[in-house]
Amino acid sequence: MIIFNPVILESKPFSELIEQSEYVTFEKKEIIVQSNKICNYLYLVETGLLRSYYFDLKGNEITHWFASENMLMTIPPSFFNREASQFNLEAIEKTTVRAFSIDTLENAFEKHRIIETFCRVMVTESMISLGKKVMDLQTKTAEERYEELKMTYPGISKRASLGQIASYIGITQQSLSRIRSKKNES
């Protein structure tokens, strides 16, 4: 999970990059990228909430990642390697983003080393976050994973469905309901 510090946008290289991006609004429940299609953009969320998800062998939706305000979201293998996505990307609520094409980013990398460095750091942080998520599924309790999710995404329990949250932390909706009732959450 990468949080993009809005102050960085005020620097000349990043403000130039923002000017070259597309300003897009997605409606609630709009599918932005379908599996087996190519993800053509890296999204910087201005307002709203996105999620990437896939279907397991039983056909259940599994939430892979969330991105809220000032976070970046894409399907990396699809975006960077121009291959069909294994994930779907959806707006959970009405969401406005800045959309960056791969060409726009490549041009910015050539023109401004700071943007290339930032993206390298972003990729590194994404790998670390994904590795941590995998390890947390094996080493933390469901309660600990739920608390960490709430800290990372404040208000997530009011923005995403119980099923989306449960699948993200690797438990059933019933188990999440029990955790929430113990904490007197509704």
Side-chain angles (χ1 to χ4, degrees), residues 78 93 137 151:
S78 181
E93 56 193 30
L137 285 169
M151 286 180 4

Side-chain angles (χ1 to χ4, degrees), residues 5-186:
N5 184 339
V7 172
I8 203 167
L9 298 178
E10 296 171 9
S11 71
K12 187 174 192 274
F14 283 98
S15 63
E16 285 178 15
L17 180 61
I18 291 293
E19 286 174 18
Q20 296 172 14
S21 70
E22 296 176 39
Y23 185 79
V24 184
T25 299
F26 299 110
E27 295 302 318
K28 181 178 181 173
K29 296 188 179 183
E30 184 174 343
I31 302 298
I32 301 162
V33 176
Q34 283 187 311
S35 63
N36 296 316
K37 303 286 184 192
I38 293 177
C39 178
N40 291 310
Y41 295 95
L42 170 70
Y43 300 100
L44 170 60
V45 178
E46 290 191 349
T47 63
L49 182 64
L50 302 176
R51 78 172 177 128
S52 63
Y53 68 96
Y54 61 92
F55 293 94
D56 68 11
L57 294 174
K58 296 179 183 176
N60 301 310
E61 282 186 14
I62 307 296
T63 298
H64 178 67
W65 218 258
F66 292 107
S68 59
E69 291 77 11
N70 299 317
M71 292 182 181
L72 296 166
M73 172 73 90
T74 194
I75 311 297
S78 181
F79 179 69
F80 291 107
N81 295 337
R82 313 310 305 144
E83 61 188 47
S85 176
Q86 295 179 326
F87 297 89
N88 297 285
L89 186 57
E90 173 188 35
I92 295 178
E93 56 193 30
K94 188 172 184 174
T95 303
T96 58
V97 300
R98 289 294 186 164
F100 304 92
S101 70
I102 190 72
D103 291 337
T104 299
L105 284 178
E106 291 289 342
N107 289 335
F109 294 164
E110 289 178 23
K111 192 172 179 184
H112 300 288
R113 181 152 169 74
I114 189 170
I115 293 175
E116 183 179 27
T117 301
F118 173 80
C119 286
R120 187 175 55 244
V121 169
M122 177 189 75
V123 168
T124 302
E125 288 295 319
S126 295
M127 290 175 19
I128 291 168
S129 293
L130 184 57
K132 182 179 179 325
K133 181 182 177 197
V134 170
M135 189 160 191
D136 286 353
L137 285 169
Q138 301 296 319
T139 61
K140 290 188 175 178
T141 66
E143 291 87 355
E144 290 170 325
R145 294 191 307 271
Y146 179 57
E147 288 302 316
E148 192 167 297
L149 175 74
K150 290 190 318 179
M151 286 180 4
T152 303
Y153 303 96
I156 191 77
S157 60
K158 292 178 176 30
R159 299 174 79 182
S161 75
L162 198 65
Q164 292 165 348
I165 294 170
S167 69
Y168 179 83
I169 61 175
I171 61 175
T172 64
Q173 288 185 49
Q174 296 81 3
S175 295
L176 182 55
S177 291
R178 282 193 292 277
I179 291 168
R180 289 170 50 124
S181 68
K182 274 195 243 178
K183 298 179 177 297
N184 293 319
E185 292 181 24
S186 41

